């Protein structure tokens, strides 16, 4: 989600990545139509160097295959590497949703027992920030490993490390957490062959790590292995040695488990009514995977693991991402460069809105040989799980929930409004604003009509005065910066805008993702269900139509001005601290309670994400109150063997493996990198801290029972109490005081990069600001007279970047949806405005193939048609060179077909010109603005040029198409030809 550079086309990107791949791993380009068998990688360019030595003599005849996934802004991609190809990589499938424009995707994959299918649960990574989406905001799909064909299995499933769960056959289990703290569970049984959910059972308990077995379904409840009956009731069958965090069913020999306690991981097998040990190692040194054929694999420090039927042991010195179906290869790292990096990671920039390269490290388990390199994501069968569609339920397409009475959005600040454009700040500006805001000095003056929004003059903390912190003091700047990093990767505008651009305001959920009964369901386009989180701090409360927390001017400032948003976000954080400090039932706090120490904010961050249950409501909640179970680090939805967040820089690719406070504290310790540099400063760590924060963790007792007291009916002194929240009720809510550190020596304090009163820094642009005006004076064919230029905005006053403008000579229209009178709103979902192009504004969308069986003119899902209609002189015809402007970024299709209608009718054959919109070079992703000829034409009054986003049968929505300015140059003679450079 750090969106700083424009990629080239998929084929060119593949070529670049192949050239840059390190020795040992090749990246052949891959292409396939959605209905075709996916291409096999070229075995002549082996992914594993010297495969005879690394893999053994029989590798050419092996059926071993590794399937894994990685996400970028275009979707969650599944990759396949086959041993018979020396594990050369190709793209198996792309899973996405055009209705969810929320940045980088993340997901998890398992392979069914037959080895025929991969099952994935995936969602925008941003969903990890919202408890409702964590509980039920995931999509599930089945992918045929032989063909890449992908089908939707389920929607509204839990985003957790144990989803999906494959078994010995082609049966798969999925979970959906019920209630704010997820204390009940829907268990969904799916059939991979038919890609259908065959049944759903409501479990009146928190069930984790499900496992489909030949004799029924199993899982973990309150620390015990349980069997789930056909009615959803539970039968306890075993109590593992520690807290379970991995469960795999074998075909014939029972259930294998991993559990942790006291820093040790225990591998055990339940079979024939008893539990027997398989071995143990330090926590983090053993992993458990299911393999096809009903086998399991223990990976890690396996020297102390005994032999057992249907069990494979694979030594490894670090945790791995995936294992091949026969255990011959492990993937130690599969990381897209679109994933935000911590300071310990590589300093590459990510790709904004485009397919991103993927860094891969694999190890052959037989020889131990390691290969590293970079692979390219190729074109592959694509599943648009939630298309933008108006078709009703039951037609095979996602449904659209009824809108409110007026059919208008719930969120107060709209999308695709040229008068509402947010400026994308650079990291230096964000750090400056945070440093000023926490000390009440964010008072920079914004002039009237700032960013052309029509607002009167204001200052950020004039609109949102700094609230007082209960007990005095200030918020540490690094804490605020870490929240902004986790929430939006420091972005105020849409993910598609790079620093220096304007764009649509960043809104986490503009179109809604809830059913009308209020339950979470990410496959519903439902305006009333939108939560309306805006901008860099994801300000939600007060941002809906009719809400009175903010005035409409304040709402616009929050949506468009990063500094105003930071000022408002800071007050929300302060409110959470004050809630915990001032509750009449007593203060909830850590350590010495001083706000100057970052560690002391752990509980306020907890409440910031999942709320605080005040003591005044205890009477309705069995006497309980405090911070909820969802973000408790002991909650089993987080794997017991996780390390500190960002100990490894690919942790951000698995955002639902850590609680929200753990992630925030991780971004405090390890700043994000943008453009090769740390995006903000690290804090001043305590003298005994070794550049780390003192936090609740699993590296020392009493974890995971830090928050285990009489307040939530938890007794630390009972050895059998391995489950830190024994009560199946709201007793898991915790309040009170806990000492973790001696803050005077151990805790961290803020470090200001910009002293109080510093002026706003200059924006660090990715692309230079261009206000150049079309210069046509050197055209040898030009005649005197008017040169009509049609902008992509009809009112020059809507251009937000301040370029000097002359009046437009014509009209520009965008028609969204087809027919637009029915589907106009739906067509807006995948349309975006960016402050790039001629004079600093252009539109773009993605190229899609027409819907099967429906004429291209009836593509209601995605169709966007742009029309440039110039004001031409006179009443007769005249010859013109037509010149289209191509932006430096935002357009990349090689096949933009411009259609020229010579007069106001649609009679006769129009002229056409197909243009490659990409403006960068193969070796330099930085593009530049330029003009290109569409050819010369005799034009009459009423002439116009049209361009739409309908491609061919291979178009899958991963390639951008731009709509920018158009010039009509009167000429004499023959003029220029299509694609002539300007």
């Amino acid at each position: 989600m750090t969106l700083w550079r424009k990629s080239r086309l998929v084929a060119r990107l593949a070529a670049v990545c192949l050239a840059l791949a390190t020795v040992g791993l090749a990246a052949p380009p891959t292409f396939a139509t959605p209905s075709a068998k996916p291409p096999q990688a070229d075995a002549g360019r082996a992914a594993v160097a010297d495969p005879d030595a690394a893999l053994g003599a029989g590798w050419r005849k092996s059926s071993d295959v590794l399937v894994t996934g990685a996400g970028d802004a275009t979707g969650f991609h599944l990759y396949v590497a086959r041993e018979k190809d020396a594990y050369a990589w190709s793209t198996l499938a792309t899973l996405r949703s055009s209705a969810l424009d929320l940045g980088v995707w993340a997901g998890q994959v398992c392979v069914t027992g037959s080895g025929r299918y991969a099952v994935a649960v995936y969602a925008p990574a941003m969903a990890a920030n919202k408890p409702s989406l964590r509980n039920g905001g995931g999509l599930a799909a089945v992918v045929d490993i032989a063909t890449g064909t992908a089908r939707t299995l389920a929607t509204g499933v839990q985003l957790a490390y144990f989803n999906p769960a494959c078994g010995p056959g082609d049966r798969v289990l999925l979970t959906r957490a019920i209630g704010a703290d997820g204390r009940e569970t829907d268990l969904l049984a799916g059939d991979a062959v038919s890609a259908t959910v065959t049944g759903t059972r409501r479990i009146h308990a928190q069930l984790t790590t499900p496992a489909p077995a030949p004799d029924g379904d199993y899982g973990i409840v309150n620390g015990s292995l349980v069997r789930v009956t056909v009615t959803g009731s539970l039968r306890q069958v075993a109590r593992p040695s520690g807290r379970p965090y991995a469960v795999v069913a074998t075909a014939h020999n029972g259930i294998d488990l991993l559990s942790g306690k006291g820093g040790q991981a225990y591998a055990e097998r339940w079979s024939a009514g008893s539990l027997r040990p398989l071995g143990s190692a330090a926590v983090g040194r053993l992993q458990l995977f299911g393999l096809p054929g009903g086998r399991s694999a223990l990976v890690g420090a396996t020297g102390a693991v005994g032999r057992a039927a249907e069990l494979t042991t694979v030594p490894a010195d670090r945790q791995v991402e995936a294992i091949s179906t026969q255990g011959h290869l492990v993937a130690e790292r599969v990381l897209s460069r679109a994933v935000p990096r911590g300071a310990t990671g590589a300093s590459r920039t990510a790709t904004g809105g485009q397919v991103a390269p993927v860094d891969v490290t694999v190890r052959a388990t037989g020889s131990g040989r390691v290969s590293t390199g970079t692979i390219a994501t190729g074109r592959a069968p694509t599943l648009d799980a939630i298309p933008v569609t108006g078709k009703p339920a039951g037609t095979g397409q996602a449904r659209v929930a009824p809108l409110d009475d007026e059919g208008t959005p719930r969120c107060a600040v709209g999308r695709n409004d040229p008068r509402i454009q947010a400026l994308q700040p650079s990291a230096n500006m964000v750090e400056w604003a945070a440093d000023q805001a926490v000390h009440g000095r964010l008072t920079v003056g914004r002039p009237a009509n700032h960013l052309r929004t029509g607002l009167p003059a204001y200052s950020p903390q004039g609109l949102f005065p700094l609230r007082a912190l209960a007990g005095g003091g200030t918020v540490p700047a690094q804490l605020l910066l870490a929240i902004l990093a986790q929430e939006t990767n420091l972005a105020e505008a849409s993910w598609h805008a790079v620093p220096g651009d304007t764009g649509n305001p960043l809104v986490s959920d503009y179109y809604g993702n809830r059913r009308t009964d209020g339950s979470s369901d990410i496959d519903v386009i439902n305006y009333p269900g939108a939560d309306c989180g805006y901008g860099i701090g994801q300000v939600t409360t007060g941002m809906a139509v009719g809400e009175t927390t903010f005035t409409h001017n304040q709402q616009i400032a929050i949506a468009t001005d990063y500094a105003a948003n930071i000022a408002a976000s800071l007050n929300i954080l302060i409110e959470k601290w004050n809630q915990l400090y001032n509750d009449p039932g007593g203060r909830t706090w850590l350590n010495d309670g001083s706000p100057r120490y970052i560690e002391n904010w752990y509980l306020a961050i907890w409440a910031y994400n999942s709320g605080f249950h005040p003591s005044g409501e205890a009477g309705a909640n069995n006497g309980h109150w405090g911070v909820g179970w969802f973000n408790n680090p002991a909650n089993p939805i987080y794997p017991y063997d996780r390390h500190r967040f960002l100990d490894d820089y690919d942790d951000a690719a698995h955002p639902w493996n850590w609680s929200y406070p753990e992630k925030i504290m991780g971004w405090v310790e390890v700043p994000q990198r943008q453009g090769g540099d740390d995006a903000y400063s690290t804090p001043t760590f305590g003298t005994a801290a070794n550049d780390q924060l003192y936090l609740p963790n699993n590296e020392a007792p009493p974890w995971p029972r830090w928050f285990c007291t009489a307040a939530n009916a938890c007794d630390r002194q009972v050895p059998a109490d391995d489950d830190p929240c024994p009560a199946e009720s709201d007793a898991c809510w915790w309040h009170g005081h806990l000492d973790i550190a001696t803050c005077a020596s151990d805790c961290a304090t803020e470090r200001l990069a910009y002293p109080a009163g510093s002026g706003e820094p200059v924006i660090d642009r990715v692309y230079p600001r261009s206000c150049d005006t079309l210069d046509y004076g050197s055209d040898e064919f030009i005649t005197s007279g008017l040169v009509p230029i049609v902008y992509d905005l009809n009112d020059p006053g809507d251009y937000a970047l301040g370029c000097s403008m002359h009046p437009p000579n014509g009209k520009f229209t965008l028609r969204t949806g087809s027919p637009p009178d029915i589907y106009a709103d739906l067509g807006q979902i995948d349309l975006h405005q960016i402050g790039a192009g001629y004079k600093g504004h252009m539109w773009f969308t993605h190229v899609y193939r027409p819907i099967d069986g429906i004429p291209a003119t009836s593509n209601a899902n995605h169709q966007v048609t742009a029309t440039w209609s110039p004001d031409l002189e006179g009443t007769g015809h005249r010859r013109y060179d037509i010149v289209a402007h191509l932006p430096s970024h935002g357009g990349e299709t090689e096949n933009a077909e411009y259609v020229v209608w010579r007069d106001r009718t649609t009679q006769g054959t129009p002229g056409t010109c197909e243009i490659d919109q990409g403006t960068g070079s193969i070796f330099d992703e930085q593009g530049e603005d330029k003009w290109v000829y569409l050819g010369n034409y005799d034009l009459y009054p009423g002439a116009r040029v049209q361009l739409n986003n309908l491609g061919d049968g291979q178009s899958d929505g991963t390639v951008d198409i731009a709509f920018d300015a158009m010039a009509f140059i009167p000429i004499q003679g023959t003029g220029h030809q299509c694609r002539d450079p300007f």
Side-chain angles (χ1 to χ4, degrees):
M1 290 185 277
T2 47
L3 309 180
W4 312 139
R5 299 289 175 193
K6 175 185 180 292
S7 73
R8 289 295 294 139
L9 300 171
V10 171
R12 297 182 183 179
L13 181 58
V16 172
C17 294
L18 176 59
L20 298 178
T22 59
V23 173
L25 188 63
T30 59
F31 298 91
T33 62
S35 60
K37 184 176 180 179
Q40 298 302 309
D42 183 353
R45 285 180 240 149
V48 174
D50 192 4
D52 287 334
L55 305 177
W59 65 272
R60 291 179 178 85
K61 297 182 179 180
S62 173
S63 60
D64 192 35
V65 59
L66 186 143
V67 179
T68 188
D72 58 25
T74 67
F76 184 64
H77 308 287
L78 270 63
Y79 305 97
V80 60
R82 305 176 192 276
E83 187 169 17
K84 67 184 180 66
D85 299 324
Y87 295 114
W89 291 75
S90 60
T91 308
L92 180 64
T94 292
L95 311 175
R96 62 189 303 274
S97 167
S98 56
L100 301 172
D101 181 42
L102 298 178
V104 173
W105 291 77
Q108 294 166 160
V109 183
C110 67
V111 175
T112 64
S114 70
R116 293 176 55 193
Y117 303 102
V119 181
V121 167
Y122 59 104
M126 190 175 181
N129 295 332
K130 296 182 179 295
S132 64
L133 296 183
R134 284 285 309 271
N135 285 342
L139 308 169
V142 174
V143 179
D144 189 311
I145 296 174
T147 67
T149 300
R151 297 167 292 168
T152 297
L153 175 61
T155 59
V157 300
Q158 188 175 11
L159 300 173
Y161 73 95
F162 46 76
N163 252 0
C166 294
D170 285 323
R171 197 163 177 275
V172 61
L173 294 178
L174 303 163
T175 60
R176 178 185 299 121
I178 304 300
D181 280 336
R183 298 296 291 166
E184 292 191 318
T185 310
D186 277 351
L187 185 63
L188 289 70
D191 174 45
V193 177
S194 61
T196 58
V197 173
T198 58
T200 300
R201 287 160 287 177
R202 175 64 56 86
I203 311 298
H204 298 294
Q206 183 182 33
L207 183 141
T208 61
T209 56
D215 63 340
D217 296 331
Y218 292 80
I220 299 297
V221 172
N222 288 335
S224 294
L225 178 67
V226 299
R227 183 175 178 182
V228 184
T229 70
V230 293
T231 62
S233 61
L234 306 176
R235 181 171 65 87
Q236 180 175 326
V237 298
R239 185 78 179 183
S241 295
R243 174 179 152 189
Y245 58 91
V247 180
V248 171
T250 67
H252 305 97
N253 292 279
I255 310 294
D256 291 342
L257 309 97
L258 281 181
S259 64
K261 186 174 184 178
Q264 285 290 110
Y266 299 93
E268 298 168 289
R269 172 170 287 182
W270 180 80
S271 181
S274 64
L275 194 67
R276 69 181 181 91
L278 297 175
S280 66
V283 167
R285 295 301 316 280
L286 278 180
Q287 291 173 275
L288 180 64
F289 294 87
L291 299 178
R295 298 169 296 126
S296 61
L298 278 170
V299 179
T302 58
V305 176
R307 297 176 61 86
E310 298 180 312
L311 177 68
T312 298
T313 59
V314 177
D317 58 7
R318 58 158 291 167
Q319 291 191 346
V320 303
E321 294 289 326
I323 185 171
S324 64
T325 55
Q326 295 178 21
H328 298 173
L329 189 79
V330 292
E332 295 183 342
R333 172 161 294 147
V334 182
L335 183 63
S336 170
R337 293 184 187 171
V339 173
R341 307 297 180 97
T344 57
S347 61
R348 302 181 183 92
T349 56
T351 304
Q354 306 300 325
V355 176
V358 178
D359 295 324
V360 172
T361 301
V362 298
R363 182 171 54 83
T365 59
S367 66
R369 292 204 178 188
V370 174
S371 298
T372 63
T374 302
I375 64 174
T377 301
R379 185 173 291 176
T382 298
L383 173 66
D384 193 345
I386 310 175
V388 181
T389 177
K391 289 192 173 185
T395 64
Q397 302 284 354
R399 62 191 179 278
V400 179
L403 305 182
D404 57 24
D405 291 342
E406 292 78 28
T408 57
R410 174 176 182 263
C411 301
V413 182
R415 290 183 73 254
N416 292 326
D417 182 346
R419 296 162 297 178
I420 304 294
Q421 297 181 54
L423 176 68
Q424 195 73 290
S426 52
N428 59 327
M429 299 169 73
V430 176
E431 183 167 25
W432 164 81
D435 286 354
Q436 303 309 303
V438 296
H439 294 284
R441 300 296 298 271
L442 192 53
T443 56
V444 59
R446 299 301 195 207
N449 201 27
H450 179 58
L451 297 175
R452 300 291 204 272
T453 58
L455 293 180
Y458 68 91
S459 72
Q461 285 190 312
L463 273 184
F464 307 100
L466 181 66
R467 293 178 181 173
L469 199 63
T474 60
V475 178
Q478 272 71 33
L479 186 79
L480 178 59
L481 286 162
I483 292 174
L484 304 178
Q486 175 60 36
E487 288 289 336
T488 61
N489 299 307
L490 313 183
E492 173 71 10
S494 158
W495 314 107
H496 304 283
V498 299
D501 285 349
T502 54
N504 281 326
L506 176 58
V507 192
S508 63
D509 180 19
Y510 186 79
Y511 294 98
N513 61 353
R514 291 175 176 82
R515 299 186 185 101
T516 53
D517 65 1
S519 59
S520 178
D521 189 344
I522 209 165
D523 79 337
V524 174
I525 300 171
N526 175 18
Y527 282 141
D531 77 344
C532 307
Y534 277 87
I536 193 168
Q538 286 297 281
V539 177
T540 300
T541 301
M543 294 303 292
V545 174
E547 292 184 341
T548 58
T549 303
F550 303 119
T551 67
H552 189 55
N553 283 351
Q554 287 177 313
Q555 290 172 329
I556 292 174
I558 286 170
T560 59
D561 182 354
Y562 78 100
N565 191 293
I566 287 172
S569 300
L570 175 60
N571 282 339
I572 296 171
L573 178 59
I574 290 171
E575 178 186 357
K576 297 305 176 183
W577 173 278
N578 291 350
Q579 281 183 331
L580 271 63
Y581 191 99
N582 293 323
D583 192 278
R587 185 181 178 190
T588 294
W589 51 298
L590 291 186
N591 304 320
D592 64 6
S594 170
R596 74 184 299 261
Y597 296 115
I598 292 172
E599 289 89 339
N600 291 350
W601 283 83
Y602 192 95
L603 295 172
I605 297 300
W606 186 335
Y608 180 88
N609 179 247
S610 56
F612 178 73
H613 307 277
S615 63
E617 299 175 5
N621 295 301
N622 300 319
H624 301 295
W625 59 282
V627 289
W629 175 237
F630 183 83
N631 274 309
N632 193 313
N635 192 326
I637 63 173
Y638 311 113
Y640 182 90
D641 64 339
R642 69 194 185 275
H643 48 247
R644 293 167 73 101
F645 183 65
L646 295 180
D647 273 2
D648 196 329
Y649 72 82
D650 59 358
D651 289 348
H654 308 282
W656 31 82
N657 285 7
W658 288 267
S659 68
Y660 190 82
E662 290 175 276
K663 287 182 286 193
I664 297 304
M665 296 303 176
W667 288 121
V668 169
E669 290 181 335
V670 184
Q672 284 188 1
R673 293 183 73 87
Q674 295 183 359
D677 300 313
D678 288 0
Y680 47 87
S681 305
T682 56
T684 299
F685 291 101
T687 56
N690 193 30
D691 290 347
Q692 285 190 320
L693 303 178
Y694 272 78
L695 303 171
N697 59 69
N698 63 344
E699 297 170 0
W703 198 95
R705 293 187 287 163
W706 286 100
F707 303 102
C708 172
T709 67
N712 57 356
C714 182
D715 186 354
R716 290 185 185 177
Q717 305 306 311
V718 178
D721 184 20
D722 296 314
D723 178 43
C725 184
E728 294 185 46
S729 70
D730 50 16
C732 295
W733 298 354
W734 184 87
H735 64 269
H737 172 242
L738 180 66
D739 280 316
I740 296 174
T742 303
C743 277
S745 59
D746 297 341
C747 296
T749 56
E750 74 176 6
R751 187 199 309 267
L752 295 181
Y754 295 90
S758 299
E760 185 174 23
V762 175
I763 192 166
D764 182 12
R765 298 180 183 275
V766 173
Y767 294 90
R769 179 172 175 265
S770 175
C771 288
D772 292 345
T773 298
L774 173 65
D775 179 7
Y776 48 85
S778 61
D779 192 316
E780 64 269 30
F781 301 116
I782 195 166
T783 63
S784 60
L786 177 71
V787 177
I789 296 180
V790 182
Y791 303 142
D792 67 87
L793 295 178
N794 293 314
D795 184 350
D798 289 338
Y799 280 76
L801 294 183
C803 294
S804 61
M805 309 287 291
H806 49 77
N809 304 117
K811 182 180 180 181
F812 176 81
T813 59
L814 271 178
R815 187 181 68 214
T816 59
S818 179
D821 56 333
I822 299 176
Y823 297 123
D825 287 347
L826 296 172
Q828 291 276 337
I829 293 176
D830 204 26
L831 176 67
H832 313 275
Q833 62 175 334
I834 292 291
Y838 190 62
K839 300 296 185 179
H841 189 277
M842 44 83 66
W843 303 92
F844 83 92
T845 185
H846 302 96
V847 181
Y848 293 93
R849 62 189 177 101
I851 299 175
D852 293 338
I854 301 178
T857 54
S858 298
N859 187 337
N861 285 20
H862 305 286
Q863 185 169 335
V864 176
T865 302
T867 303
W868 294 262
S869 302
D871 293 333
L872 301 181
E873 291 183 318
T875 58
H877 68 89
R878 189 170 185 177
R879 199 153 196 85
Y880 292 84
D881 270 340
I882 303 178
V883 194
H885 191 267
L886 302 182
S888 60
H889 56 293
E892 65 169 5
T893 179
E894 289 181 321
N895 309 114
E897 185 177 59
Y898 293 82
V899 178
V900 181
W901 297 95
R902 294 172 172 84
D903 56 28
R904 68 180 72 256
T905 71
T906 57
Q907 303 300 314
T909 302
T912 61
C913 179
E914 193 172 273
I915 295 295
D916 178 355
Q917 287 193 341
T919 60
S921 72
I922 293 177
F923 297 103
D924 181 3
E925 294 181 357
Q926 183 86 17
E928 59 182 3
D929 291 289
K930 67 179 184 182
W931 294 86
V932 63
Y933 285 101
L934 302 185
N936 65 94
Y937 300 88
D938 273 331
L939 301 181
Y940 295 79
R944 61 205 182 279
V945 178
Q946 290 187 319
L947 175 66
N948 67 37
N949 64 323
L950 299 184
D952 56 23
Q954 294 187 345
S955 302
D956 58 8
T958 61
V959 174
D960 294 344
I961 186 169
F963 309 108
D964 201 348
M966 190 83 64
F968 299 80
I969 304 175
I971 61 170
Q972 57 186 358
T974 57
H976 292 88
Q977 304 302 308
C978 172
R979 290 187 293 275
D980 280 353
F982 184 81

